[in-house]
Amino acid sequence: MARTPTQQFLEIDKIKDGILILKNKSLRAVLMVSSLNFALKSEEEQQAIIYQFQNFLNSLDFSVQILVQSRILNIAGYLDKLKAVEAKQENELLKIQTAEYRKFINELIAGRQVLAKTFFVVIPFTLIDIPKIGGKKETGFNEEEFQRAKAQLQQRTDFVAMGLRRCGLQCTFLNSLEMIELFWALYHPEEAEVGYYPEIPPEITQ
């Protein structure tokens, strides 16, 4: 029995110009957002951040999705680099300090998993079908429609990024390559954990 391709179960149609195009003709932009250590802020700073974030949410007239990705952090490569640095170190004192630091890291993570968290905000835009003469609707998704919808989505993305920056957060718009790597990692967590990503043909990201 032939296996059904995974793509048939996904809502994704394609990725173009850093924009996720779904099969229902709606678009999605993704912002990667930095984190901040809220607990280390003073009470006044915490209240200011809460106030700004509340104002940001109240200013939205469209929905957004906040996604938190947790992934086991594999630091085997980092430990190997430390071992190489230790072996090449000519200064005996620095060599001992490097060895002790490597031992400290090993003991710190022994028997526990180190998680890396990445934060994303997904901004949507739905293209409304425009009625044609005779009452029929345009069912295609031509370049003109895409560019018009992309411009509207970009306005929303800029608005969201500005609101988050007022809360002390940094934002980065994911391009096509970064978007593909994100979804690949979501469906291949074990490979992504060790830092493996497939080679992506340049024509896919154009």
Side-chain angles (χ1 to χ4, degrees):
M1 180 182 295
R3 295 183 178 180
T4 304
T6 304
Q7 287 85 344
Q8 290 191 15
F9 299 99
L10 301 178
E11 297 182 13
I12 302 171
D13 181 28
K14 66 178 70 173
I15 297 174
K16 180 178 180 180
D17 297 344
I19 303 296
L20 190 66
I21 304 175
L22 304 185
K23 293 177 180 178
N24 64 0
K25 296 173 61 176
S26 62
L27 308 182
R28 299 289 187 273
V30 180
L31 287 173
M32 184 168 65
V33 185
S34 67
S35 61
L36 54 83
N37 198 325
F38 188 78
L40 294 181
K41 302 291 183 180
S42 66
E43 185 176 351
E44 291 78 9
E45 289 175 317
Q46 290 180 352
Q47 290 300 323
I49 293 171
I50 292 173
Y51 178 75
Q52 287 289 352
F53 190 68
Q54 186 179 45
N55 283 343
F56 162 67
L57 293 178
N58 289 336
S59 68
L60 296 176
D61 59 0
F62 52 88
S63 62
V64 297
Q65 179 183 8
I66 298 175
L67 172 66
V68 181
Q69 181 188 47
S70 296
R71 192 173 66 193
I72 297 174
L73 186 63
N74 190 311
I75 64 170
Y78 177 65
L79 292 174
D80 289 341
K81 288 182 179 180
L82 287 177
K83 190 174 182 179
V85 170
E86 177 188 342
K88 294 179 180 179
Q89 186 59 256
E90 297 180 357
N91 186 300
E92 191 62 27
L93 178 59
L94 292 178
K95 189 171 186 176
I96 293 174
Q97 290 178 336
T98 304
E100 290 179 347
Y101 176 68
R102 185 165 59 86
K103 181 181 178 182
F104 168 75
I105 295 297
N106 266 318
E107 293 176 350
L108 183 66
I109 65 173
R112 71 182 71 175
Q113 294 179 337
V114 180
L115 294 179
K117 292 186 179 293
T118 312
F119 302 88
F120 302 94
V121 175
V122 183
I123 302 100
F125 183 81
T126 301
L127 180 67
I128 301 176
D129 288 336
I130 302 175
K132 294 178 66 177
I133 297 175
K136 294 183 179 180
K137 290 185 176 180
E138 182 69 49
T139 57
F141 194 77
N142 57 44
E143 183 64 21
E144 181 182 353
E145 289 177 324
F146 172 73
Q147 293 299 331
R148 186 167 67 247
K150 177 185 172 182
Q152 295 291 327
L153 179 60
Q154 185 63 55
Q155 290 182 10
R156 289 187 173 187
T157 303
D158 292 342
F159 183 81
V160 169
M162 181 176 62
L164 292 174
R165 289 189 184 104
R166 288 175 177 170
C167 300
L169 302 169
Q170 300 300 314
C171 306
T172 301
F173 175 77
L174 295 190
N175 58 33
S176 294
L177 177 60
E178 292 166 336
M179 190 91 73
I180 292 171
E181 290 180 345
L182 170 63
F183 281 98
W184 191 90
L186 289 175
Y187 288 95
H188 302 83
E190 293 182 359
E191 291 90 338
E193 177 188 332
V194 296
Y196 170 76
Y197 287 87
E199 185 175 350
I200 300 172
E203 59 269 17
I204 294 181
T205 61
Q206 293 178 354

